[in-house]
């Protein structure tokens, strides 16, 4: 099954006999300025969303509290399951997730649902900007779902696993190139990358419209990095959000990949972990 769905396909599915549960994951990686309020995903959702969509808060429901395991550690499975059931998610019902267009937050929800065993979850390609149908402002109250998370359905890396994969397989760094090279680091305590990791900015997986590049172009892009079919592939980013989008792009290209959820925010907080800088994986 394709991991993404087009807006026209979603419109058809929503009008069909087994419409998907829709999850709105409006979220933004930002450091608010002193004179600006922080991004409010719920307020953005309430101002207009795809009819029937339920808002899910990435920071509170798709992650646990930040700490030694990174800025967006895995949520407790029981808490995540409860949040998904409140949103109407059931194992026998398809799920479509979307965000404001960047795709990172929706991919985080896609990855978590896939990792915990949901058999049918897809991301709206291009996010809300791709939707040509009506929007609504009313907040639905879905019937309680029955989804019970069973973690482990897809591959997961910890820090040691990521370090090992950088030597034995292909570890992709999904952050912007300047952060990979250590030229700037606006968030985490140290700049640079995991030794052996290959720079693979997530933004290069999509076109100007925010939709994924054609499959053949994605396959060619990843093949140049060594991430071809048959290779053992892993991905990390700053805190396990944009890397989920990279895992999604790899899935679209037919390449399974593991996610290092702790990512650079966990790695860089441990002074015993080595750090490489510059354009070469080292």
């Amino acid at each position: 099954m394709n991991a993404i769905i087009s807006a026209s396909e979603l419109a058809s599915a929503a009008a069909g006999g087994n419409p998907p549960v829709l999850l709105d994951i409006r979220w933004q990686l930002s450091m608010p300025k002193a004179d600006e309020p922080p991004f409010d995903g719920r307020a953005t959702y309430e101002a207009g969303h795809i009819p029937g969509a339920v808002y899910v808060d990435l920071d509170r429901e798709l992650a646990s509290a930040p700490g030694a395991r990174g800025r967006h550690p895995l949520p407790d499975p029981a808490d995540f399951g409860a949040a998904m059931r409140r949103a109407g998610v059931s194992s026998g019902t398809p799920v479509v997730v979307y965000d404001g267009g960047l795709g990172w937050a929706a991919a985080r929800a896609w990855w978590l649902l896939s990792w915990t065993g949901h058999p049918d979850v897809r991301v709206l390609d291009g996010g809300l900007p791709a939707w040509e149908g009506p929007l609504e402002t009313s907040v639905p109250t879905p019937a309680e779902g029955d989804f019970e998370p069973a973690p482990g359905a897809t591959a997961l890396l910890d820090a040691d696993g990521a370090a090992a994969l950088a030597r034995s397989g292909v570890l992709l760094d999904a952050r912007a190139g300047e952060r990979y090279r250590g030229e700037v680091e606006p968030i985490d305590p140290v700049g640079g990358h995991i030794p052996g990791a290959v720079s693979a900015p997530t933004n290069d997986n999509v076109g100007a419209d925010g939709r994924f590049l054609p499959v053949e172009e994605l396959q060619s892009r990843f093949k140049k990095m060594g991430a071809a079919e048959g290779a053992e592939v892993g991905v990390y980013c700053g805190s396990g959000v944009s890397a989920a989008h990279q895992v999604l792009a790899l899935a679209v290209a037919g390449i399974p990949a593991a996610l290092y959820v702790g990512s650079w925010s966990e790695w860089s907080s441990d002074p015993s972990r080595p750090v490489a800088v510059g354009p070469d994986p080292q």
Side-chain angles (χ1 to χ4, degrees):
M1 184 189 70
N2 200 342
I4 58 176
I5 185 172
S6 70
S8 60
E9 290 171 332
L10 174 57
S12 296
N18 187 28
V21 172
L22 287 171
L23 304 181
D24 184 309
I25 326 288
R26 230 79 68 87
W27 175 85
Q28 185 171 297
L29 176 62
S30 62
M31 301 179 69
K33 299 177 182 178
D35 58 344
E36 294 180 0
F39 177 80
D40 188 334
R42 177 170 287 280
T44 305
Y45 159 82
E46 291 177 352
H49 51 267
I50 297 176
V54 177
Y55 177 71
V56 173
D57 189 308
L58 186 149
D59 290 315
R60 294 178 176 85
E61 297 174 305
L62 304 184
S64 56
R69 295 186 299 130
R71 280 182 281 111
H72 289 105
L74 286 174
D76 178 89
D79 293 341
F80 174 66
M84 292 299 97
R85 290 191 293 275
R86 285 195 302 271
V89 174
S90 293
S91 295
T93 303
V95 177
V96 172
V97 295
Y98 71 90
D99 57 25
L102 188 59
W104 297 3
R108 172 75 176 213
W110 165 83
W111 183 86
L112 273 169
L113 281 164
S114 300
W115 178 67
T116 53
H118 196 285
D120 188 352
V121 54
R122 288 181 283 177
V123 172
L124 175 58
D125 193 17
L128 187 61
W131 177 253
E132 297 180 351
L135 299 179
E136 69 177 14
T137 57
S138 59
V139 176
T141 304
E144 183 89 0
D146 64 13
F147 179 65
E148 292 290 346
T154 59
L156 175 68
L157 293 172
D158 59 11
D160 289 340
L165 185 58
R167 297 189 298 270
S168 65
V170 181
L171 182 65
L172 302 179
D173 185 315
R175 298 172 300 159
E178 59 268 24
R179 292 185 69 191
Y180 169 88
R181 296 187 294 271
E183 297 166 0
V184 298
E185 183 44 65
I187 305 173
D188 295 313
V190 179
H193 58 271
I194 297 174
V198 177
S199 181
T202 291
N203 287 343
D204 292 346
N205 293 322
V206 299
D209 59 1
R211 302 182 195 186
F212 280 106
L213 300 175
V215 171
E216 296 77 11
E217 292 185 32
L218 288 173
Q219 291 172 335
S220 176
R221 164 172 156 77
F222 292 127
K223 184 176 182 180
K224 292 174 183 176
M225 301 170 186
E229 185 177 353
E232 188 177 4
V233 182
V235 188
Y236 75 95
C237 59
S239 65
V241 178
S242 68
H245 191 269
Q246 188 94 286
V247 173
L248 175 59
L250 285 155
V252 172
I255 304 167
L259 177 65
Y260 173 26
V261 174
S263 286
W264 190 249
S265 59
E266 178 186 45
W267 185 279
S268 63
S269 68
D270 182 349
S272 72
R273 296 285 179 187
V275 173
V277 296
D280 297 325
Q282 302 177 23

